[in-house]
Amino acid sequence: MFEQLSENLENVLKKLRGRGKLTEKNVSDGLREVRRALLEADVNYKVAKEFIASVKEKAIGQEVLKSITPGQQIVKVLHDELVDLLGLERSELELKGSPPHVIMVVGLQGSGKTTFVTKLGKQLRDKGRSPLLVGADVYRPAAKDQLKTNGSKVDLPVFVTEHNRVLDICAEAKQTARKNHYDVLILDTAGRLHIDEEMMDELSDVKQQMQPDEILFVADGMTGQDAVNAASEFLGYLDFTGVVLTKMDGDARGGAALSIRSVTGRPIKYMSVGESMDSLEPFYPDRLANRILGMGDVVSLVEKAQETIDEESAKKLNKKIQRNEFTLADFKEQLQQIKNMGPLDQLMDMIPGMGKMKRQGLSVDGSEFDKIEAIINSMTKEERNKPGIINGSRRRRIARGSGTSVGDINQLLKQFQQMKKMMQQMNKGKMKHQIPGLPI
Amino acid sequence: MRSAFQKLKSGLKKTHESVVGRIADVFSGRTKLDDELLEDLEEILIESDLGVDATMQLLDDLRDRASEIGEVDIGALQEVLQNEIKQLLSNGSHAVQPESQDGPQVIMVVGVNGSGKTTSIGKLAHQFKSKGKSVLIAAADTFRAAAMEQLENWADRANVDIIVNRKAKDPASVAYDAAAAAISRDVDVLIVDTAGRLHTQGNLMDELQKIHRVLGKQIENAPHEVLLVLDATTGQNAIMQARHFQKVVEIDGIILAKLDGTAKGGVVVAINRELDMPVKYIGVGEGIDDLQLFDPEQFAEALFY
């Protein structure tokens, strides 16, 4: 899901990241490519345009955090805007009033309504409800059979009739529900191409009669620019309460997901991601935004950094790096700040690519940090500021003092030299190649 | 009885109104090809699902022509754009009807879930039937609930025979039986339905290959046509679908279903531009005879006039 969009966006962001400073032009160029990536993902043209305008406004002129690269800031702006576009927060199914509750499921032909109705029924039953699926699609040949077969697969009751009068079917289903104590009716309605006015009128009649708690509009996740047309039309007729995205397990580009909420103002409530009857996921805007940006949870990381790192000392540190005055004492201070942000392995989890590396056997724990701190603590002030003076006898003393070995001291000093070298290169803007898998 | 052209035209009316109507709007009253005009055009083309690449290409060409002409004649540029689109539609597409031959002509129909396979098969069967061909349908979608019932229903409407095996778990076995039946009943056309699958599901794609093989064992060179059904409302993902299916079975042509919804047509341009896979039929309605042979010339004409 979203691989294509993710990949395209990551390529754009790669160019933005690692820049010492972001100019208006950097941002504009980058955002033009973001826009292209969105359009290639079938995001509606107007939605993409507004999105870019909004990101641009927020990204340009924003003060860049010292603890991270400025490119990362763009990622955060993009992410926040994406979450905003996707609906900010998880929107739950709302079944109010007295049972039987009615959920009306509507959508275009072939969007996946019948399958969704079954999945939803199963999920509700698993949560202790007692749903009745209602075959109210009297037009598509064998639609009722499909619902019946689906229902029996997961052992859910299905209400179908011989006759084809939709309003009667609904009324009879409600009676049946009352009699047999079903508390949720899920109506599988006929899906047509939305230009069919007659059909829409019939759905309006059903709505009028049944007074549903929820009307869910089912949209195929692979739909192109037409997604917003269909959604708007259904909204106009039925004023639906929520959106369901189906077929999100293919390489759906997600344009529909990004556009429909924004155009209709209705929340996306579920996402259907597989053939199995359990493959119905609640929709979390922030998590989806993370997936789209292929970024693990860098956002939390950035926010944590914002919370814990003191801006003034970050500024000071940055100056020191620029003047090549970074010392072991500064290094220790930095380590402490990172430790303040939380357990190391949890931090690592927020970095994209790290999860995979961990699975492959990379272990991270804080003890390495403790060791380094102990070593630096055993140094004199002079040694911390001028590591060059640390000769053999000093090394032996530090090793004894910190409970480590001379080998450990050698390793740390070597790493520190490499780090300083890297910082110098960064200052000269030569830092072209970053650690693979790391966006920072 | 409306002519095929009229029907196509009315099916495409929405497309016509939204694309061409808007293009005409955009050009009218303009005197120079500036960024604003280009952006308006871009919006129209993107919103018609032409895709970014095709759109950029069209606009680049337009820009080039404008600088060639020097003095900008907006009317001439409009013509340039229309011709370009027509040309993209004509690229590599040639409408072919299955030919008669010795033994049954086997057509295998594939596509993702909900693209309109079963409906297209019903219409296709009806079309052959009304041309005096004997048709047999194979219900080799053993996966989707009630797929067989739906297909039986269509077979009924088209008044053709159908091979169904409710106990079969393996679609290839249904295909095998159907091919045998097609031979013994000496039918002209055998149309094989397959289960809808997302093109990203490897195991199901393997299953397609098996059905393909099984048909070939019974009838020489079968299937003679493999048609991919695409939902016209699908966006740029349609190109990915076509590519994935092409990797598994040789696709001979596309049925573009549901073209009677709102503004479509752009997918066709993108597909014709990127893949050597002609669109053969378009579905322009819900009636049994609402399947048209795709004719790029006529299609483009219906778009522009």
Side-chain angles (χ1 to χ4, degrees):
Chain A
M1 173 172 44
F2 297 118
E3 279 88 1
Q4 187 81 40
L5 177 60
S6 262
E7 203 186 310
N8 287 343
L9 283 180
E10 273 199 65
N11 285 336
V12 180
L13 296 176
K14 214 184 275 170
K15 290 180 201 160
L16 284 174
R17 282 179 191 130
R19 280 184 190 275
K21 223 186 222 169
L22 284 179
T23 66
E24 196 163 327
K25 188 170 180 313
N26 298 150
V27 176
S28 295
D29 289 351
L31 288 182
R32 194 170 307 127
E33 287 176 58
V34 171
R35 175 177 163 276
R36 191 189 166 101
L38 292 174
L39 291 178
E40 271 171 5
D42 288 326
V43 172
N44 175 266
Y45 186 88
K46 291 187 191 73
V47 172
K49 197 173 166 180
E50 278 167 31
F51 179 79
I52 293 300
S54 170
V55 171
K56 200 169 177 175
E57 190 192 324
K58 287 183 181 123
I60 290 175
Q62 211 186 86
E63 201 160 316
V64 170
L65 274 183
K66 297 294 180 256
S67 62
I68 51 171
T69 65
Q72 203 65 264
Q73 192 66 35
I74 290 276
V75 181
K76 177 151 168 38
V77 174
L78 254 178
H79 176 273
D80 290 351
E81 288 298 303
L82 264 181
V83 174
D84 195 40
L85 195 67
L86 290 166
L88 288 175
E89 277 173 2
R90 157 108 184 98
S91 173
E92 303 273 350
L93 206 60
E94 284 181 44
L95 303 178
K96 298 160 292 198
S98 58
H101 303 289
V102 177
I103 301 170
M104 189 173 163
V105 179
V106 302
L108 291 183
Q109 248 176 5
S111 56
K113 275 186 305 300
T114 308
T115 307
F116 166 71
V117 163
T118 318
K119 287 182 182 177
L120 180 63
K122 182 169 187 304
Q123 200 167 85
L124 288 176
R125 195 217 16 231
D126 292 348
K127 282 185 180 157
R129 297 264 184 189
S130 126
L132 176 65
L133 313 186
V134 183
D137 178 358
V138 297
Y139 299 99
R140 185 162 65 96
K144 291 188 216 166
D145 294 322
Q146 191 189 349
L147 189 63
K148 256 197 307 206
T149 316
N150 274 348
S152 69
K153 258 194 227 164
V154 292
D155 207 17
L156 278 172
V158 176
F159 183 86
V160 287
T161 56
E162 285 298 316
H163 70 77
N164 280 340
R165 299 182 301 276
V166 176
L167 290 177
D168 290 348
I169 293 174
C170 293
E172 289 162 30
K174 204 166 190 171
Q175 275 173 4
T176 305
R178 285 220 171 88
K179 209 163 62 195
N180 298 301
H181 306 292
Y182 295 117
D183 59 5
V184 188
L185 289 171
I186 308 177
L187 309 182
D188 181 25
T189 65
R192 288 278 183 94
L193 297 163
H194 58 287
I195 45 170
D196 193 330
E197 215 164 297
E198 204 179 315
M199 238 298 298
M200 286 296 189
D201 286 340
E202 188 177 279
L203 289 177
S204 297
D205 291 344
V206 170
K207 180 189 172 186
Q208 192 66 30
Q209 178 188 302
M210 297 299 281
Q211 298 292 320
D213 298 70
E214 291 267 9
I215 302 177
L216 299 179
F217 172 68
V218 178
D220 183 332
M222 296 186 295
T223 319
Q225 296 282 327
D226 193 48
V228 298
N229 298 336
S232 309
E233 202 122 347
F234 270 91
L235 187 74
Y237 273 96
L238 296 168
D239 194 24
F240 56 76
T241 56
V243 179
V244 177
L245 294 169
T246 59
K247 304 182 200 175
M248 295 296 279
D249 49 332
D251 50 8
R253 302 187 170 208
L258 294 166
S259 310
I260 291 180
R261 188 349 275 214
S262 156
V263 168
T264 64
R266 296 295 179 276
I268 300 167
K269 300 214 170 188
Y270 293 99
M271 216 163 55
S272 182
V273 291
E275 298 271 321
S276 129
M277 284 300 160
D278 288 314
S279 56
L280 186 66
E281 285 182 8
F283 186 84
Y284 291 100
D286 53 341
R287 293 185 200 173
L288 197 64
N290 288 343
R291 286 202 219 180
I292 291 174
L293 292 178
M295 52 193 273
D297 203 353
V298 167
V299 182
S300 309
L301 195 61
V302 172
E303 277 169 0
K304 270 184 191 289
Q306 273 175 324
E307 281 164 24
T308 43
I309 295 178
D310 169 48
E311 206 176 325
E312 273 314 301
S313 62
K315 251 184 213 159
K316 246 189 251 165
L317 184 67
N318 205 35
K319 254 188 204 139
K320 277 189 169 177
I321 292 175
Q322 276 169 12
R323 291 191 202 131
N324 201 19
E325 287 168 1
F326 188 70
T327 66
L328 277 165
D330 299 322
F331 183 45
K332 191 188 132 195
E333 198 183 325
Q334 253 205 332
L335 288 182
Q336 257 158 358
Q337 283 189 335
I338 292 175
K339 274 170 83 177
N340 287 342
M341 281 164 65
L344 200 58
D345 59 334
Q346 271 185 34
L347 290 181
M348 297 299 267
D349 273 346
M350 293 179 193
I351 302 171
M354 275 300 165
K356 198 173 153 206
M357 285 169 80
K358 264 170 94 176
R359 279 197 299 280
Q360 286 167 353
L362 175 83
S363 73
V364 250
D365 62 290
S367 64
E368 199 63 29
F369 273 26
D370 294 340
K371 201 156 125 192
I372 292 170
E373 268 193 84
I375 294 174
I376 298 176
N377 280 338
S378 300
M379 293 178 185
T380 65
K381 200 175 172 190
E382 199 190 2
E383 283 166 349
R384 287 177 206 167
N385 290 331
K386 289 180 197 155
I389 63 166
I390 304 176
N391 56 21
S393 77
R394 282 176 193 259
R395 284 175 203 218
R396 278 191 295 276
R397 193 204 79 238
I398 295 167
R400 267 199 312 276
S402 59
T404 58
S405 68
V406 173
D408 291 327
I409 314 292
N410 291 341
Q411 203 188 348
L412 173 67
L413 291 174
K414 204 172 154 198
Q415 280 174 345
F416 182 71
Q417 283 311 321
Q418 283 171 345
M419 210 160 86
K420 277 195 83 161
K421 222 170 162 183
M422 235 160 72
M423 285 173 179
Q424 265 175 298
Q425 280 176 342
M426 264 187 342
N427 284 338
K428 289 180 197 151
K430 278 183 190 162
M431 194 55 190
K432 282 197 185 114
H433 299 289
Q434 305 187 340
I435 306 164
L438 281 181
I440 303 169
Chain B
M1 184 74 187
R2 291 185 297 167
S3 74
F5 183 66
Q6 276 173 327
K7 204 168 248 172
L8 174 62
K9 240 174 124 173
S10 72
L12 290 172
K13 202 163 148 254
K14 285 272 186 179
T15 316
H16 180 80
E17 276 166 5
S18 62
V19 180
V20 184
R22 288 175 63 191
I23 287 181
D25 271 358
V26 166
F27 275 112
S28 79
R30 301 290 185 104
T31 51
K32 65 178 199 291
L33 186 73
D34 51 13
D35 285 351
E36 201 188 328
L37 178 58
L38 282 169
E39 198 176 310
D40 285 348
L41 287 171
E42 182 194 61
E43 176 172 355
I44 291 167
L45 297 175
I46 291 280
E47 289 199 336
S48 309
D49 282 323
L50 255 82
V52 179
D53 290 338
T55 298
M56 296 304 167
Q57 186 194 326
L58 283 166
L59 294 182
D60 283 349
D61 289 352
L62 196 64
R63 219 179 274 124
D64 290 349
R65 283 297 287 271
S67 60
E68 258 172 49
I69 298 169
E71 182 90 345
V72 179
D73 174 359
I74 293 292
L77 284 180
Q78 182 179 349
E79 217 170 86
V80 169
L81 186 62
Q82 292 178 352
N83 279 331
E84 286 276 334
I85 294 177
K86 207 189 271 183
Q87 204 148 40
L88 280 175
L89 282 169
S90 307
N91 271 353
S93 57
H94 39 91
V96 187
Q97 254 185 297
E99 293 157 24
S100 53
Q101 55 159 48
D102 269 356
Q105 172 92 17
V106 182
I107 302 171
M108 181 175 165
V109 181
V110 303
V112 304
N113 322 55
S115 57
K117 271 186 309 301
T118 309
T119 307
S120 297
I121 289 170
K123 292 175 182 173
L124 204 55
H126 171 75
Q127 207 165 82
F128 288 124
K129 179 82 181 174
S130 37
K131 281 186 189 137
K133 307 258 184 196
S134 56
V135 182
L136 183 66
I137 295 176
D141 179 356
T142 53
F143 188 80
R144 182 164 67 99
M148 293 175 201
E149 283 80 359
Q150 195 188 345
L151 198 60
E152 271 177 324
N153 208 307
W154 274 106
D156 249 19
R157 285 171 72 179
N159 194 22
V160 301
D161 288 342
I162 180 167
I163 298 288
V164 178
N165 180 358
R166 288 206 156 65
K167 294 209 183 81
K169 285 272 178 287
D170 179 12
S173 75
V174 179
Y176 187 89
D177 291 348
I183 296 167
S184 70
R185 294 182 199 182
D186 194 23
V187 298
D188 299 321
V189 183
L190 169 66
I191 308 177
V192 183
D193 187 19
T194 61
R197 61 209 68 220
L198 288 181
H199 47 292
T200 47
Q201 296 163 325
N203 53 334
L204 286 173
M205 294 301 265
D206 291 345
E207 185 191 278
L208 267 193
Q209 256 171 348
K210 192 174 167 197
I211 298 172
H212 194 279
R213 263 200 317 274
V214 160
L215 290 170
K217 271 184 193 154
Q218 289 264 0
I219 299 166
E220 207 186 333
N221 292 328
H224 307 94
E225 293 262 334
V226 179
L227 297 178
L228 170 68
V229 180
L230 291 177
D231 181 335
T233 62
T234 308
Q236 302 310 301
N237 188 262
I239 302 166
M240 291 302 285
Q241 291 176 20
R243 282 210 188 110
H244 275 280
F245 276 98
Q246 179 79 305
K247 265 187 222 155
V248 180
V249 285
E250 186 71 27
I251 305 287
D252 298 292
I254 288 168
I255 299 180
L256 192 63
K258 307 186 202 176
L259 202 55
D260 52 331
T262 30
K264 288 327 137 339
V267 199
V268 190
V269 178
I271 288 170
N272 270 303
R273 184 178 172 277
E274 296 208 13
L275 303 164
D276 188 22
M277 201 184 287
V279 182
K280 296 208 170 182
Y281 295 94
I282 55 174
V284 291
E286 292 177 48
I288 194 159
D289 47 7
D290 288 331
L291 186 75
Q292 308 289 339
L293 271 173
F294 178 77
D295 176 348
E297 196 58 40
Q298 206 177 52
F299 185 92
E301 215 170 293
L303 274 176
F304 289 114
Y305 302 104

